[in-house]
Amino acid sequence: MAVSTNAFEMAQRQFDHVADLLNLDSQVREILRWPLREYHFRIPVRMDDGSIRVFQGFRVQHNDARGPNKGGIRFHPAETVDTVRALATWMTWKCAVADIPLGGGKGGVIVDPATLTDGEKERLVRGYIQSIWKNIGPRNDVPAPDVGTTPQMMGWMMDEYSRLSGEYTPGVITGKPVGGGGSLGRTEATGYGVIYTIREALKHLQMDGSKSLAAIQGFGNVAQYAAIGFIELIGGKVVCVSCWDREDRTAYTFTKEDGVDPHFLMSITDQYGSIDKAKAKDAGYKIEDGGAWISKDVDVLIPSALEGQINAETVKLIKPRVRVIAEGANGPTTPEADEVLKANGVFVIPDFLCNAGGVTVSYFEGVQNDMNYYWTKQEVLERLDTKMTQAFQSVLDMALKENVFMRDAAYMVAIARVAKAMELRGWI
Ligand code: NAD
């Protein structure tokens, strides 16, 4: 979902729209329109030059009726409490639609992490935990990495929490490195989750996966495993991927009409998801402008880079052959483009269903931490497949029953589940 300065108003508007469709009770609306709790705190950090800088931190807990709050911590210079509130609200819906027993939370610090040394980063994340540790924990709120934070930072946070609480508590945070309490399969989780939902969509539309073509925007964590999955699990071809080129400060599309080789492309991609143009060209890839992916004559589009990519202008470029749009990224489609896709009968797998594989394996990480027993990668991915398939099916059932677009159906499933949990707990 697009994150703008008024992101929280947008989250509330989306909620109101679906609350109307569901004819939701006014007291339930009153609870769900706002986060139940939020914490604002200032974090003083000793910098390497001996001075003290004070950072603003937030943690928002939107709703924990279904289980402990869950959501990442972002380090971003433009962070605002409204962005964090919106993201926490969306986490409530994402966990509910994936049917994992967790609520919605999100955290943030106003900082550009690129301006900090490793030592300063470590002191800042430890300071964050010192400020909030009494209000988080495996049973009430479990943070994770997000924009600007890394598995190493999660390791420091887990250590600080364990030190303050006096016991080893890996389940307080997910996204930890493997070997430090992390789960196998987390790297693949979001991209493969996207693929499990595409596989189900193709089945529903009675399309043959082995004859389908896909175009992907992005070549980072989500897109790489979506590309591998489309080829290896669905049996189709991926005709292009795209990426941002940091040197040229523009995006490019890397095309091979007879199918890209994602393993090769990964071998020439840096840690930020930028592909080496010269090596790709040598290997026979056509290098086109960054927008070319959207106008490919394919069956499936998989936007997996940024928000707002399918908008009132670009939606006109989509070819009639496209039957499925699988939103690997958060918020890739604007409401105006959504209306066009609806009118054209394109089957959209909405972001908070399509990319829920990441949070699902984060939940598995917490389960494994609780048991102190770790599954193989195959076990993790099989369980992920089961969860994603069930989630897709319940949204599709709602869409067919109520005759609504998949995005509305996903909200309806999620909001109804949270409302039900509140009722069962006697909150309403
Ligand atoms: P990433 O940073 O690993 O990769 C982003 C990719 O997008 C890179 O290849 C980058 O070069 C490319 N890119 C950036 N600007 C571009 C442009 N203008 N045109 C084309 N490509 C461009 O990020 P990621 O983790 O793969 O996340 C991608 C999206 O998926 C984001 O919206 C993120 O919020 C969402 N998401 C990620 C996860 C996860 O587990 N990683 C989970 C849920 C949602």
Side-chain angles (χ1 to χ4, degrees), residues 14 39 97 135 174 183 202 310 320 322:
Q14 284 167 338
Y39 303 94
V97 85
N135 305 103
T174 62
S183 176
L202 295 179
I310 305 179
V322 173

Side-chain angles (χ1 to χ4, degrees), residues 94 186 190 217-223 242-245 251-252 271-274 290 304-307 309 328-330 355 358:
K94 187 182 281 201
R186 176 64 187 85
T190 307
Q217 186 189 35
F219 201 60
N221 174 255
V222 178
S242 71
C243 73
W244 180 254
D245 189 290
Y252 293 109
Q271 56 168 318
Y272 305 103
S274 293
S304 303
L306 303 171
E307 62 271 6
Q309 297 300 294
N330 283 321
N355 68 34

Side-chain angles (χ1 to χ4, degrees), residues 45-46 48 116-125 156:
V45 176
R46 171 92 50 203
D48 285 357
L116 303 181
T117 65
D118 280 352
E120 290 165 345
K121 275 185 209 156
E122 178 170 353
R123 292 192 288 280
L124 174 56
V125 302
W156 291 326

Side-chain angles (χ1 to χ4, degrees), residues 7 21 186 240 365 399:
L21 288 177
R186 176 64 187 85
C240 69
E365 180 178 331

Side-chain angles (χ1 to χ4, degrees), residues 13-45:
R13 273 205 311 276
Q14 284 167 338
F15 169 73
D16 291 339
H17 168 66
V18 179
D20 287 345
L21 288 177
L22 282 169
N23 212 2
L24 210 61
D25 176 83
S26 63
Q27 295 165 55
V28 179
R29 289 184 196 222
E30 191 54 29
I31 298 178
L32 289 175
R33 282 191 98 239
W34 285 90
L36 287 177
R37 286 176 292 280
E38 58 185 50
Y39 303 94
H40 298 218
F41 39 91
R42 316 244 309 141
I43 312 166
V45 176

